[in-house]
Amino acid sequence: MYQVFTETLLICLFLCFICISIMAMQKPSNNQKILLVASVCAFISCFGYYYELKSINMDAIMVCIKIGYVGKIFAIFLFTTFVKNYANIHMPYWITRSLYIFYVGILYSILTCEQHKLYYSSIELMEQNGHVVVDLGKGPLYYVYTISLVLIMVFLLVVSIKNVLTQTGDSRKIYISISFTGILPMLGFLGCLFDVFDGYDPTPMALALANILITFAVVKYGLIDMVLMAKELIVESTTEAVIIYNLNKEILYMNSVAEGLLKN
């Protein structure tokens, strides 16, 4: 299992670097910046966990754990922010700001975890399957963080699935890709929480895979092309039926109004 995880993490690091490069070359926009930083955070998460597995002493392992958390916490936060923006969900500014401050506070408690027992109730060096690992007891803030993650991932899933069911054409395919920003991290986190992988944490790899799928949507469907997004919003918001077809009279796209008329 150790070799599988370390080799997979190396592949994830390489693919995340490619994702970062692709995001950096997109047209500048708010969503482009969000996904670029999210890609960097996914890379950091994999980087931290890879070197956590490779480290052999307490200090080095703890440094790597803290680096990994920087990536994990903010990758999920940024993916959530992007989905909120893309789905045009209006949320009071204070909620977003409070969530950001909350995660900064969680990160601070992790960075200073040796000085208190709020996040980790205990920190002990031990051997597992021939490799040195740190056994971390769960403190109260760990459970608060866990609950917040579950709520955020459920939010991502609900928003994505709702749009998958209501959109058509490329819009539906885009939301299918976006849905994995909630599904994959949730599966990875649950796998870690219930110790499915014999003490190994699949969350960094799940974040990397979600990042890869989002990047694919950016390249394939112009996910963060603001002109395309504006056109789509206008077409979907109009009360007139809009149908686009080719010379062979094959329907390429229809808005929700047109879809409703054809169903009737």
Side-chain angles (χ1 to χ4, degrees):
M1 187 67 73
Y2 173 84
Q3 187 172 355
V4 170
F5 266 74
T6 52
E7 290 180 358
T8 305
L9 283 166
L10 279 176
I11 295 171
C12 288
L13 283 168
F14 175 72
L15 294 175
C16 281
F17 182 78
I18 293 176
C19 291
I20 292 169
S21 303
I22 292 172
M23 291 298 181
M25 291 187 290
Q26 301 304 306
K27 293 178 182 179
S29 67
N30 186 45
N31 281 336
Q32 180 262 349
K33 293 174 185 176
I34 290 172
L35 287 183
L36 175 59
V37 180
S39 296
V40 173
C41 288
F43 179 89
I44 291 172
S45 176
C46 291
F47 178 88
Y49 193 48
Y50 175 79
Y51 281 100
E52 177 190 338
L53 295 178
K54 288 290 185 179
S55 299
I56 58 174
N57 63 70
M58 174 78 81
D59 291 339
I61 292 174
M62 290 307 299
V63 168
C64 292
I65 288 173
K66 293 171 183 179
I67 291 172
Y69 260 109
V70 172
K72 276 195 288 188
I73 288 175
F74 289 105
I76 293 172
F77 174 78
L78 290 166
F79 280 141
T80 305
T81 303
F82 170 76
V83 172
K84 176 183 72 69
N85 291 348
Y86 188 80
N88 200 30
I89 296 174
H90 298 287
M91 189 177 293
Y93 179 73
W94 67 267
I95 293 180
T96 306
R97 178 56 62 90
S98 298
L99 192 59
Y100 176 78
I101 292 172
F102 168 74
Y103 280 129
V104 169
I106 290 292
L107 182 60
Y108 180 77
S109 72
I110 295 168
L111 296 177
T112 58
C113 62
E114 294 94 346
Q115 302 171 25
H116 55 75
K117 295 186 178 181
L118 293 174
Y119 197 84
Y120 293 128
S121 59
S122 62
I123 303 174
E124 298 178 1
L125 198 66
M126 60 179 289
E127 187 174 316
Q128 183 182 49
N129 301 323
H131 300 281
V132 176
V133 297
V134 172
D135 182 42
L136 302 168
K138 299 173 178 62
L141 282 183
Y142 178 90
Y143 293 104
V144 173
Y145 171 64
T146 299
I147 293 170
S148 73
L149 274 189
V150 171
L151 291 175
I152 282 180
M153 291 174 191
V154 168
F155 167 78
L156 290 173
L157 282 174
V158 169
V159 171
S160 301
I161 292 173
K162 176 186 175 184
N163 283 281
V164 166
L165 296 175
T166 57
Q167 300 292 331
T168 59
D170 285 347
S171 292
R172 174 173 291 176
K173 294 175 183 177
I174 287 172
Y175 276 106
I176 289 173
S177 298
I178 289 176
S179 68
F180 285 102
T181 61
I183 294 171
L184 292 173
M186 178 176 285
L187 291 176
F189 182 73
L190 291 175
C192 176
L193 191 64
F194 294 105
D195 200 20
V196 175
F197 296 94
D198 194 25
Y200 292 96
D201 182 6
T203 309
M205 293 179 290
L207 286 172
L209 187 52
N211 184 39
I212 292 164
L213 290 172
I214 284 287
T215 304
F216 172 79
V218 167
V219 175
K220 178 75 173 176
Y221 304 112
L223 183 60
I224 53 178
D225 187 326
M226 297 306 292
V227 175
L228 180 64
M229 289 171 64
K231 288 179 179 177
E232 184 177 300
L233 183 61
I234 292 169
V235 171
E236 284 296 331
S237 299
T238 184
T239 56
E240 300 295 327
V242 178
I243 301 176
I244 301 173
Y245 57 90
N246 59 20
L247 294 175
N248 296 322
K249 296 185 179 180
E250 297 172 334
I251 294 176
L252 302 177
Y253 173 82
M254 69 176 74
N255 66 356
S256 55
V257 176
E259 192 176 59
L261 289 175
L262 289 180
K263 285 181 179 178
N264 294 331

